[in-house]
Amino acid sequence: LLFAPQRGVPAGADFFRADRGGEVTYHGPGQLVCYPILNLKRMKRMDLHWHLRTLEEAVMRLLVEDVEIASRRVSRKEGMTGVWVDDSKVCAIGIRVSRGWITSHGLALNVTTDLQPFQSIVPCGISDFPVGRLCDLDVDQALLDQERLRAALLRHLGDLFGPWTLTYAAQLPSQLLE
């Protein structure tokens, strides 16, 4: 059981079922959430693993280049999806791809997130590693500004998925980017 109902849903939280991979997770204030909508068929990249690894790579570049975390501390874990700093998972990724190879859902990077709600679930079905957040790391806290991180993440996604990704995201209404 990946959700522990006997522990209860945290006050103020809602429970939703989602049609994506990645098991149970939590979204809340202090996370940088990004749900890129891509046509993998048009991109000629009909490969779920490529899409997942590319999302991870964008976050890893963000952490190393923009948050200035030593690259040796930032990693993937064999057989799992997401991004870790040391042994704490700081970024969860869960996607859905339609039959037409259109992606939905995406990633959540814990920046200043309250980690208490994660105590009510087994995040991403992983009980062997703790969930972490960037504000608890030995980094310059000024580097964790949400607007700065959002712009940097969009830049890395554009570099990896193609420049049209960044252009398209910049044209979306700002409330959809939050």
Side-chain angles (χ1 to χ4, degrees):
L1 184 63
L2 300 176
F3 173 67
Q6 68 275 16
R7 295 185 198 167
V9 176
D14 294 313
F15 179 74
F16 297 95
R17 293 196 183 279
D19 60 345
R20 58 142 181 80
E23 305 296 344
V24 177
T25 195
Y26 165 78
H27 288 313
Q31 286 181 325
L32 179 59
V33 177
C34 181
Y35 281 13
I37 301 169
L38 303 171
N39 184 330
L40 297 180
K41 187 173 185 178
R42 184 176 293 159
M43 295 171 71
K44 300 184 183 347
R45 295 304 301 240
M46 295 178 291
D47 182 337
L48 298 180
H49 294 283
W50 173 82
H51 181 61
L52 290 166
R53 301 300 81 82
T54 304
L55 290 172
E56 290 170 342
E57 181 63 25
V59 173
M60 292 172 72
R61 288 183 184 187
L62 171 79
L63 297 177
V64 172
E65 296 173 22
D66 302 289
V67 182
E68 300 177 2
I69 298 172
S71 60
R72 63 181 158 66
R73 297 181 62 198
V74 177
S75 67
R76 298 177 173 104
K77 296 280 184 202
E78 183 70 33
M80 298 183 206
T81 298
V83 178
W84 278 257
V85 174
D86 301 324
D87 277 330
S88 293
K89 187 171 185 178
V90 297
C91 182
I93 299 174
I95 64 166
R96 180 179 189 276
V97 178
S98 71
R99 289 185 184 181
W101 290 94
I102 307 297
T103 67
S104 58
H105 299 280
L107 64 90
L109 177 64
N110 296 321
V111 181
T112 59
T113 317
D114 176 6
L115 299 180
Q116 187 60 39
F118 288 103
Q119 301 304 310
S120 298
I121 62 175
V122 179
C124 303
I126 300 169
S127 59
D128 298 339
F129 297 98
V131 174
R133 60 187 182 171
L134 301 183
C135 68
D136 291 334
L137 301 174
D138 185 23
V139 298
D140 180 350
Q141 298 297 300
L143 298 177
L144 302 182
D145 174 74
Q146 285 277 349
E147 290 300 318
R148 183 181 176 284
L149 292 176
R150 180 188 346 197
L153 181 59
L154 288 175
R155 185 181 74 250
H156 292 298
L157 289 169
D159 289 347
L160 293 164
F161 286 121
W164 63 270
T165 307
L166 182 58
T167 302
Y168 177 73
Q171 293 173 357
L172 289 174
S174 61
Q175 67 268 24
L176 294 179
L177 296 174
E178 294 177 356

